Short mmCIF file of all heavy atoms in Angstrom, two decimals:
data_model
loop_
_atom_site.label_atom_id
_atom_site.label_comp_id
_atom_site.label_asym_id
_atom_site.label_seq_id
_atom_site.Cartn_x
_atom_site.Cartn_y
_atom_site.Cartn_z
N ARG V 454 17.68 7.64 -5.76
CA ARG V 454 17.92 6.38 -6.46
C ARG V 454 16.66 5.82 -7.13
O ARG V 454 16.73 4.79 -7.81
CB ARG V 454 18.52 5.36 -5.51
CG ARG V 454 17.59 4.89 -4.41
CD ARG V 454 18.31 3.83 -3.58
NE ARG V 454 18.03 3.97 -2.18
CZ ARG V 454 17.71 2.94 -1.41
NH1 ARG V 454 17.64 1.74 -1.92
NH2 ARG V 454 17.48 3.13 -0.14
N TYR V 455 15.52 6.49 -6.95
CA TYR V 455 14.28 5.94 -7.52
C TYR V 455 13.88 6.66 -8.81
O TYR V 455 14.08 7.87 -8.93
CB TYR V 455 13.15 6.04 -6.50
CG TYR V 455 13.46 5.28 -5.24
CD1 TYR V 455 13.75 5.95 -4.05
CD2 TYR V 455 13.51 3.88 -5.24
CE1 TYR V 455 14.06 5.24 -2.89
CE2 TYR V 455 13.82 3.17 -4.10
CZ TYR V 455 14.10 3.86 -2.92
OH TYR V 455 14.42 3.16 -1.78
N LYS V 456 13.27 5.91 -9.73
CA LYS V 456 12.78 6.54 -10.96
C LYS V 456 11.37 7.07 -10.77
O LYS V 456 10.91 7.91 -11.52
CB LYS V 456 12.76 5.51 -12.10
CG LYS V 456 14.13 5.23 -12.68
CD LYS V 456 13.96 4.42 -13.95
CE LYS V 456 15.28 4.11 -14.60
NZ LYS V 456 15.10 3.08 -15.64
N ILE V 457 10.65 6.51 -9.79
CA ILE V 457 9.30 7.01 -9.52
C ILE V 457 8.99 6.88 -8.03
O ILE V 457 9.38 5.90 -7.39
CB ILE V 457 8.23 6.29 -10.40
CG1 ILE V 457 6.86 6.93 -10.22
CG2 ILE V 457 8.15 4.80 -10.11
CD1 ILE V 457 5.84 6.52 -11.28
N VAL V 458 8.34 7.92 -7.50
CA VAL V 458 7.92 7.92 -6.10
C VAL V 458 6.40 8.02 -6.08
O VAL V 458 5.83 8.89 -6.73
CB VAL V 458 8.49 9.15 -5.35
CG1 VAL V 458 7.97 9.22 -3.92
CG2 VAL V 458 10.02 9.14 -5.36
N ILE V 459 5.76 7.12 -5.35
CA ILE V 459 4.30 7.19 -5.24
C ILE V 459 3.96 7.47 -3.79
O ILE V 459 4.35 6.72 -2.89
CB ILE V 459 3.66 5.88 -5.72
CG1 ILE V 459 4.12 5.67 -7.16
CG2 ILE V 459 2.14 5.96 -5.63
CD1 ILE V 459 3.65 4.44 -7.80
N ALA V 460 3.29 8.58 -3.57
CA ALA V 460 3.02 9.02 -2.20
C ALA V 460 1.54 9.35 -2.07
O ALA V 460 1.14 10.50 -2.17
CB ALA V 460 3.89 10.24 -1.88
N PRO V 461 0.72 8.33 -1.84
CA PRO V 461 -0.72 8.59 -1.76
C PRO V 461 -1.09 9.28 -0.45
O PRO V 461 -0.43 9.08 0.58
CB PRO V 461 -1.34 7.18 -1.78
CG PRO V 461 -0.23 6.24 -2.14
CD PRO V 461 1.03 6.90 -1.71
N MET V 462 -2.11 10.10 -0.48
CA MET V 462 -2.77 10.64 0.71
C MET V 462 -1.78 11.19 1.76
O MET V 462 -1.79 10.77 2.90
CB MET V 462 -3.64 9.54 1.34
CG MET V 462 -4.74 9.03 0.44
SD MET V 462 -5.54 7.51 1.02
CE MET V 462 -6.51 8.09 2.39
N MET V 463 -0.98 12.16 1.34
CA MET V 463 0.02 12.72 2.28
C MET V 463 -0.65 13.77 3.17
O MET V 463 -0.31 14.95 3.14
CB MET V 463 1.17 13.37 1.52
CG MET V 463 1.89 12.44 0.57
SD MET V 463 3.26 13.28 -0.23
CE MET V 463 4.52 13.11 1.00
N HIS V 464 -1.58 13.30 3.96
CA HIS V 464 -2.43 14.19 4.77
C HIS V 464 -1.60 15.05 5.72
O HIS V 464 -1.65 16.28 5.72
CB HIS V 464 -3.41 13.31 5.54
CG HIS V 464 -4.43 14.04 6.34
ND1 HIS V 464 -4.31 14.25 7.70
CD2 HIS V 464 -5.60 14.60 5.98
CE1 HIS V 464 -5.37 14.91 8.13
NE2 HIS V 464 -6.16 15.13 7.11
N LEU V 465 -0.79 14.37 6.53
CA LEU V 465 0.09 15.11 7.45
C LEU V 465 1.41 15.32 6.74
O LEU V 465 2.23 14.40 6.62
CB LEU V 465 0.28 14.32 8.75
CG LEU V 465 1.09 15.02 9.83
CD1 LEU V 465 0.61 14.60 11.22
CD2 LEU V 465 2.57 14.75 9.72
N LEU V 466 1.54 16.50 6.18
CA LEU V 466 2.70 16.76 5.34
C LEU V 466 3.79 17.46 6.13
O LEU V 466 3.71 18.67 6.36
CB LEU V 466 2.30 17.61 4.13
CG LEU V 466 3.45 17.67 3.14
CD1 LEU V 466 3.43 16.47 2.23
CD2 LEU V 466 3.43 18.95 2.37
N ARG V 467 4.77 16.69 6.56
CA ARG V 467 5.91 17.31 7.24
C ARG V 467 6.71 18.12 6.23
O ARG V 467 6.86 17.71 5.09
CB ARG V 467 6.81 16.22 7.82
CG ARG V 467 6.13 15.44 8.90
CD ARG V 467 6.81 14.13 9.16
NE ARG V 467 8.26 14.18 9.07
CZ ARG V 467 9.06 13.25 9.59
NH1 ARG V 467 8.54 12.22 10.22
NH2 ARG V 467 10.37 13.32 9.46
N GLU V 468 7.22 19.27 6.71
CA GLU V 468 7.94 20.14 5.77
C GLU V 468 9.19 19.45 5.23
O GLU V 468 9.61 19.70 4.11
CB GLU V 468 8.31 21.46 6.45
CG GLU V 468 7.10 22.11 7.13
CD GLU V 468 6.73 23.47 6.54
OE1 GLU V 468 7.55 24.03 5.81
OE2 GLU V 468 5.60 23.93 6.83
N ASP V 469 9.79 18.54 6.05
CA ASP V 469 11.02 17.91 5.56
C ASP V 469 10.76 16.98 4.37
O ASP V 469 11.57 16.92 3.45
CB ASP V 469 11.79 17.19 6.69
CG ASP V 469 10.95 16.17 7.42
OD1 ASP V 469 9.71 16.19 7.26
OD2 ASP V 469 11.52 15.33 8.14
N ILE V 470 9.63 16.32 4.35
CA ILE V 470 9.39 15.43 3.21
C ILE V 470 9.06 16.27 1.97
O ILE V 470 9.43 15.92 0.84
CB ILE V 470 8.31 14.35 3.48
CG1 ILE V 470 8.20 13.36 2.31
CG2 ILE V 470 6.95 14.92 3.78
CD1 ILE V 470 9.42 12.55 2.05
N ASP V 471 8.41 17.40 2.19
CA ASP V 471 8.15 18.30 1.05
C ASP V 471 9.49 18.72 0.43
O ASP V 471 9.65 18.71 -0.79
CB ASP V 471 7.35 19.51 1.54
CG ASP V 471 7.09 20.49 0.41
OD1 ASP V 471 6.50 20.07 -0.59
OD2 ASP V 471 7.51 21.66 0.52
N LYS V 472 10.45 19.03 1.31
CA LYS V 472 11.77 19.45 0.83
C LYS V 472 12.45 18.30 0.07
O LYS V 472 13.00 18.48 -1.01
CB LYS V 472 12.62 19.86 2.04
CG LYS V 472 13.57 20.96 1.75
CD LYS V 472 14.19 21.52 3.00
CE LYS V 472 15.69 21.57 2.80
NZ LYS V 472 16.50 20.99 3.82
N THR V 473 12.40 17.11 0.67
CA THR V 473 13.03 15.94 0.03
C THR V 473 12.40 15.68 -1.34
O THR V 473 13.10 15.40 -2.32
CB THR V 473 12.85 14.68 0.91
OG1 THR V 473 13.29 14.99 2.22
CG2 THR V 473 13.61 13.50 0.39
N LEU V 474 11.08 15.81 -1.41
CA LEU V 474 10.40 15.56 -2.69
C LEU V 474 10.80 16.62 -3.72
O LEU V 474 11.01 16.30 -4.89
CB LEU V 474 8.88 15.57 -2.49
CG LEU V 474 8.31 14.33 -1.79
CD1 LEU V 474 6.83 14.52 -1.44
CD2 LEU V 474 8.48 13.08 -2.66
N LYS V 475 10.91 17.87 -3.26
CA LYS V 475 11.29 18.94 -4.21
C LYS V 475 12.67 18.65 -4.78
O LYS V 475 12.88 18.74 -6.00
CB LYS V 475 11.29 20.29 -3.50
CG LYS V 475 9.90 20.87 -3.44
CD LYS V 475 9.90 22.33 -3.03
CE LYS V 475 8.46 22.81 -2.97
NZ LYS V 475 8.04 23.24 -1.65
N GLU V 476 13.61 18.30 -3.91
CA GLU V 476 14.97 17.98 -4.36
C GLU V 476 14.92 16.88 -5.42
O GLU V 476 15.59 16.91 -6.43
CB GLU V 476 15.81 17.47 -3.18
CG GLU V 476 16.38 18.59 -2.31
CD GLU V 476 17.13 19.60 -3.15
OE1 GLU V 476 18.08 19.19 -3.84
OE2 GLU V 476 16.75 20.80 -3.14
N TYR V 477 14.09 15.88 -5.12
CA TYR V 477 13.99 14.71 -5.99
C TYR V 477 13.40 15.08 -7.36
O TYR V 477 13.94 14.72 -8.41
CB TYR V 477 13.13 13.65 -5.28
CG TYR V 477 12.63 12.56 -6.18
CD1 TYR V 477 13.49 11.56 -6.63
CD2 TYR V 477 11.30 12.53 -6.59
CE1 TYR V 477 13.03 10.57 -7.48
CE2 TYR V 477 10.83 11.53 -7.43
CZ TYR V 477 11.70 10.57 -7.88
OH TYR V 477 11.25 9.59 -8.73
N VAL V 478 12.30 15.83 -7.32
CA VAL V 478 11.63 16.16 -8.59
C VAL V 478 12.48 17.12 -9.43
O VAL V 478 12.61 16.94 -10.64
CB VAL V 478 10.22 16.74 -8.34
CG1 VAL V 478 9.55 17.14 -9.65
CG2 VAL V 478 9.34 15.73 -7.60
N LYS V 479 13.07 18.10 -8.74
CA LYS V 479 13.92 19.08 -9.44
C LYS V 479 14.92 18.40 -10.36
O LYS V 479 15.20 18.85 -11.46
CB LYS V 479 14.77 19.82 -8.38
CG LYS V 479 14.34 21.21 -8.09
CD LYS V 479 15.37 21.83 -7.17
CE LYS V 479 14.74 22.98 -6.41
NZ LYS V 479 15.58 23.38 -5.29
N LYS V 480 15.49 17.30 -9.87
CA LYS V 480 16.55 16.64 -10.63
C LYS V 480 16.01 15.66 -11.66
O LYS V 480 16.75 14.86 -12.21
CB LYS V 480 17.48 15.92 -9.67
CG LYS V 480 18.20 16.92 -8.77
CD LYS V 480 19.25 16.24 -7.93
CE LYS V 480 19.90 17.25 -7.00
NZ LYS V 480 20.02 16.75 -5.63
N GLY V 481 14.70 15.65 -11.84
CA GLY V 481 14.16 14.80 -12.91
C GLY V 481 13.28 13.66 -12.42
O GLY V 481 12.87 12.83 -13.22
N GLY V 482 13.01 13.61 -11.12
CA GLY V 482 12.19 12.52 -10.59
C GLY V 482 10.72 12.65 -10.96
O GLY V 482 10.24 13.74 -11.30
N VAL V 483 10.01 11.53 -10.88
CA VAL V 483 8.57 11.52 -11.16
C VAL V 483 7.84 11.17 -9.87
O VAL V 483 8.16 10.19 -9.20
CB VAL V 483 8.22 10.48 -12.25
CG1 VAL V 483 6.71 10.43 -12.48
CG2 VAL V 483 8.94 10.84 -13.54
N LEU V 484 6.86 12.00 -9.53
CA LEU V 484 6.10 11.79 -8.31
C LEU V 484 4.62 11.66 -8.65
O LEU V 484 4.09 12.43 -9.45
CB LEU V 484 6.31 13.01 -7.38
CG LEU V 484 5.36 13.16 -6.19
CD1 LEU V 484 5.61 12.07 -5.15
CD2 LEU V 484 5.53 14.54 -5.53
N ILE V 485 3.96 10.66 -8.02
CA ILE V 485 2.49 10.62 -8.07
C ILE V 485 2.00 10.87 -6.66
O ILE V 485 2.40 10.17 -5.72
CB ILE V 485 1.95 9.25 -8.53
CG1 ILE V 485 2.48 8.87 -9.90
CG2 ILE V 485 0.42 9.24 -8.52
CD1 ILE V 485 1.98 7.51 -10.42
N THR V 486 1.16 11.87 -6.49
CA THR V 486 0.50 12.02 -5.20
C THR V 486 -1.00 12.19 -5.46
O THR V 486 -1.43 12.25 -6.62
CB THR V 486 1.12 13.15 -4.35
OG1 THR V 486 0.51 13.10 -3.05
CG2 THR V 486 0.89 14.52 -4.96
#
Side-chain angles (χ1 to χ4, degrees):
R454 67 178 140 134
Y455 300 109
K456 283 191 179 167
I457 186 166
V458 176
I459 302 178
M462 299 168 73
M463 303 182 83
H464 185 261
L465 184 149
L466 190 85
R467 295 162 38 162
E468 309 243 345
D469 56 345
I470 186 64
D471 178 57
K472 213 169 130 231
T473 308
L474 286 171
K475 277 193 181 117
E476 279 307 302
Y477 164 74
V478 177
K479 254 187 203 166
K480 295 187 183 134
V483 177
L484 166 69
I485 302 180
T486 187

